[in-house]
Amino acid sequence: VSCILVKTMVVLAVFRTSKPGGNASLKWFGAGQQRGTVLVLTSFQAAICTAWLVSASPTPHKNTRYHNDKIVYECVVGSVAGFGALLGYIGLLAFLSFLLAFLARNLPDNFNEAKFIT
């Protein structure tokens, strides 16, 4: 999701620089900055995931409560806060990607990358 977010940011930056007076913002979206942003966003997600798995990792649980003749293995989440933080972070990245793609909806139709971002 972080790759899509950065790509959408670059698409918006390219078209904003094509307008008069917008040439200064493109210097912040070079190849190194794009890779660095993706690395930082992905590292933050990996840190959340690692903290969740180290503190209270998911464990299998035998559930015989509903079916006495069968043993059903279920996954106990462990830390609900860790799982919620991980899903919340992914949701935040997805929301920001969708928001930027919504802003990019008025870009020219002949630009292939902007056509199907949303």
Side-chain angles (χ1 to χ4, degrees):
V1 177
S2 61
C3 292
I4 294 171
L5 176 63
V6 170
K7 189 63 172 175
T8 308
M9 288 169 42
V10 169
V11 167
L12 278 174
V14 165
F15 277 100
R16 296 217 185 230
T17 57
S18 65
K19 293 181 180 178
N23 56 0
S25 65
L26 192 58
K27 67 180 179 180
W28 296 106
F29 293 104
Q33 289 84 358
Q34 292 175 33
R35 289 184 191 112
T37 305
V38 170
L39 182 67
V40 166
L41 293 174
T42 305
S43 297
F44 190 68
Q45 181 177 347
I48 294 172
C49 189
T50 302
W52 171 47
L53 292 177
V54 168
S55 66
S57 62
T59 57
H61 171 69
K62 290 182 186 179
N63 187 355
T64 58
R65 196 162 116 192
Y66 299 110
H67 300 285
N68 291 334
D69 56 338
K70 296 180 183 177
I71 297 174
V72 178
Y73 277 98
E74 295 177 344
C75 182
V76 177
V77 174
S79 172
V80 176
F83 185 65
L86 185 62
L87 285 181
Y89 180 71
I90 294 171
L92 176 70
L93 289 178
F95 175 75
L96 289 175
S97 297
F98 182 75
L99 182 69
L100 290 177
F102 181 76
L103 293 175
R105 75 188 186 283
N106 294 327
L107 296 178
D109 289 335
N110 59 359
F111 188 61
N112 293 337
E113 292 183 47
K115 192 172 182 182
F116 296 112
I117 283 179
T118 309

